[in-house]
Amino acid sequence: MDKIMINHPISYGHQLITDEDIQAVVETLKSDYLTQGPRIPEFEQNFASYLGVNYACMVSNGTAALHLCAMALDIKPGDKVITTPITFVASANGFRYLGADIVFCDIDANTYLMDLDKLEQILKSAPKGTYKAVVPVDFAGYPIDEERLHNLAVEFGFKTVIDCCHAPGGSWTDSKGEKQMVGNCKYADLSVFSFHPVKHIAAGEGGCITTNNKELYDKVALYRTHGITKDPDLLTRNDGGWYYEMQELGYNYRITEFQAALASSQLKRLDWSIARRNEIAKRYDEAFKNLPVLTPFRESGITHAFHLYIIEVHPNKRKGLYDYLREHNIFAQVLYIPAHTMPYYKSLGHKEGECPIAEDYYTRCLALPMYPSLTNEEQEYVIEKVKTFFGR
Ligand SMILES: *Cc1c(COP(=O)(O)O)cnc(C)c1O
């Protein structure tokens, strides 16, 4: 009954590198700069204008971007920072580096994003100003309601860092009916992106911080490179052309020129990638209609960036389906193991039972292959195997 034969592994996500991408990297390797040259500001400008944001600061990876945001917000040991358990652990770790006390807010059962009703309950149960920052994640590519978050931020006095690592190219609609690009920071203090190969823009490693706040931008840009500046306006004295000052304890979180060139080349295909991902999602949705499979929730007014295509199946079937697909060379993935159940976060006092919706989600979720270069034939093969598993 198997109609399609596929003999190569199909993973849940995969980068696409075109001849144009390779050309861009090769040209950069032959240029005068391998780091700290023109390609980095070029990407920053391209990305900022694509998103419609004033400032972009490209860094070595998404985790570094989160760490720099925490530094720019002056997070201190014991400061309370709220994030979601259904994310890559870096969303929390970036703030832990500075000793923040991480609070995990449970997710919404439909969108899998931080549940803003629950967030409001958490905020209301403590004096205003208790929480220093809130870090929601546009998980799987689904944009969070940044406007509602902003209103809460104004009421309760916290800063917002949106982890947009899954959602470049995604958008949502605000209450005035205006389309808002993910990462434009119209309603947020800071946003962060990752350019890990499994993400939309695959630069090998890489990350970016966006903001409309000049002061925050200056801070992350300074901390990106050791806290060193040569800006004559900022120097406390000036001994001559060679002179620079280290004014803060920063890091080396720089990215290379060839990674920036690769990222710029890929940025040109981002809209195509989002469109293609949505096409793939639609085909899955259709194919799974009569199966005991829950397909991803969508609301009108949003453009889902579909970093991941996540289905929910009965907890008794999930491992079986995962193993069955693996036997057939399909490497579906379970994303994510709730962060608060990680041994490290348990060692800080977090417990199972803290976020029941997230924990239940974890028993059901499975990310199927989703990336723009997935061929129709490969997708048909995946669909066929899922159907066969359920005996259809
Ligand atoms: C990938 C990712 C990060 C971290 O990015 P790196 O570039 O791998 O450091 C942070 N948050 C989320 C949600 C991610 O998916």
Side-chain angles (χ1 to χ4, degrees):
M1 76 161 279
D2 289 0
K3 284 165 285 170
I4 309 168
M5 293 293 295
I6 300 269
N7 293 314
H8 56 269
I10 304 176
S11 133
Y12 78 97
H14 199 267
Q15 75 274 14
L16 170 63
I17 301 293
T18 64
D19 289 344
E20 220 183 359
D21 292 346
I22 293 167
Q23 197 52 42
V25 172
V26 169
E27 269 170 31
T28 309
L29 289 174
K30 290 177 179 169
S31 76
D32 286 334
Y33 294 95
L34 297 185
T35 188
Q36 293 179 288
R39 302 278 186 248
I40 295 160
E42 193 177 293
F43 175 82
E44 290 170 341
Q45 277 156 31
N46 291 340
F47 197 47
S49 75
Y50 175 85
L51 300 177
V53 69
N54 288 348
Y55 306 101
C57 178
M58 197 180 197
V59 295
S60 48
N61 57 67
T63 307
L66 284 153
H67 185 191
L68 292 181
C69 288
M71 287 181 74
L73 296 179
D74 200 22
I75 298 296
K76 297 250 189 314
D79 281 350
K80 290 192 186 308
V81 173
I82 304 176
T83 189
T84 161
I86 299 302
T87 184
F88 183 56
V89 285
S91 310
N93 296 354
F95 293 80
R96 264 310 289 163
Y97 295 150
L98 295 170
D101 178 6
I102 307 294
V103 175
F104 292 99
C105 174
D106 209 350
I107 61 166
D108 176 274
N110 290 320
T111 60
Y112 315 142
L113 305 185
M114 178 186 284
D115 182 335
L116 298 184
D117 291 331
K118 290 210 180 86
L119 174 67
E120 194 167 349
Q121 282 169 19
I122 293 172
L123 294 166
K124 277 185 170 151
S125 66
K128 278 184 190 179
T130 299
Y131 298 95
K132 192 92 188 261
V134 176
V135 188
V137 177
D138 291 338
F139 174 68
Y142 198 103
I144 189 97
D145 182 348
E146 292 186 31
E147 186 177 15
R148 178 156 179 219
L149 187 70
H150 170 76
N151 293 338
L152 292 171
V154 170
E155 186 178 348
F156 292 95
F158 57 83
K159 301 292 180 191
T160 51
V161 179
I162 318 291
D163 183 334
C164 307
C165 290
H166 293 188
S171 65
W172 56 285
T173 307
D174 70 12
S175 61
K176 297 182 200 91
E178 274 173 40
K179 177 177 148 173
Q180 302 296 338
M181 290 300 285
V182 162
N184 73 1
C185 294
K186 173 118 187 247
Y187 293 96
D189 294 296
L190 294 149
S191 296
V192 300
F193 294 90
S194 163
F195 307 132
H196 181 278
V198 91
K199 310 287 165 69
H200 294 68
I201 296 173
E205 295 281 358
C208 197
I209 300 150
T210 59
T211 184
N212 290 315
N213 181 322
K214 171 96 169 43
E215 213 172 298
L216 291 176
Y217 168 75
D218 287 342
K219 283 186 180 166
V220 295
L222 186 69
Y223 296 141
R224 164 175 66 176
T225 178
H226 307 281
I228 285 174
T229 184
K230 280 196 88 167
D231 183 345
D233 294 340
L234 298 177
L235 298 176
T236 60
R237 61 168 211 266
N238 199 339
D239 300 349
W242 66 86
Y243 189 72
Y244 65 82
E245 283 178 354
M246 182 197 139
Q247 298 185 329
E248 300 276 351
L249 182 61
Y251 292 82
N252 179 355
Y253 279 165
R254 292 189 305 260
I255 191 162
T256 67
E257 283 283 288
F258 41 96
Q259 287 169 296
L262 183 52
S264 279
S265 183
Q266 301 220 343
L267 178 59
K268 293 181 195 153
R269 292 199 304 276
L270 184 54
D271 285 338
W272 166 80
S273 166
I274 299 292
R276 176 72 190 130
R277 286 167 186 270
N278 275 274
E279 243 172 61
I280 292 168
K282 235 186 215 163
R283 285 165 64 107
Y284 276 139
D285 288 350
E286 276 300 312
F288 299 149
K289 260 190 180 146
N290 299 314
L291 295 184
V293 159
L294 189 66
T295 55
F297 175 82
R298 256 99 100 207
E299 248 168 344
S300 66
I302 68 139
T303 301
H304 197 313
F306 276 113
H307 165 55
L308 303 170
Y309 184 91
I310 291 176
I311 58 169
E312 281 186 65
V313 298
H314 191 279
N316 294 340
K317 294 276 185 214
R318 202 269 305 275
K319 184 166 185 303
L321 177 58
Y322 172 89
D323 290 338
Y324 180 81
L325 294 176
R326 259 180 109 90
E327 281 161 28
H328 292 90
N329 248 340
I330 299 164
F331 294 83
Q333 188 57 286
V334 171
L335 296 158
Y336 287 98
I337 304 160
H340 67 283
T341 69
M342 289 289 169
Y344 172 74
Y345 282 102
K346 280 186 174 167
S347 80
L348 298 177
H350 294 279
K351 291 183 201 66
E352 249 127 63
E354 205 169 293
C355 298
I357 310 287
E359 291 165 37
D360 181 60
Y361 158 84
Y362 168 62
T363 66
R364 301 167 186 276
C365 64
L366 194 64
L368 297 181
M370 166 56 86
Y371 46 91
S373 59
L374 183 75
T375 65
N376 290 346
E377 194 191 31
E378 287 168 333
Q379 190 182 6
E380 279 310 315
Y381 175 76
V382 174
I383 289 167
E384 186 185 290
K385 291 303 166 211
V386 174
K387 285 185 172 167
T388 315
F389 175 79
F390 284 107
R392 307 290 162 91

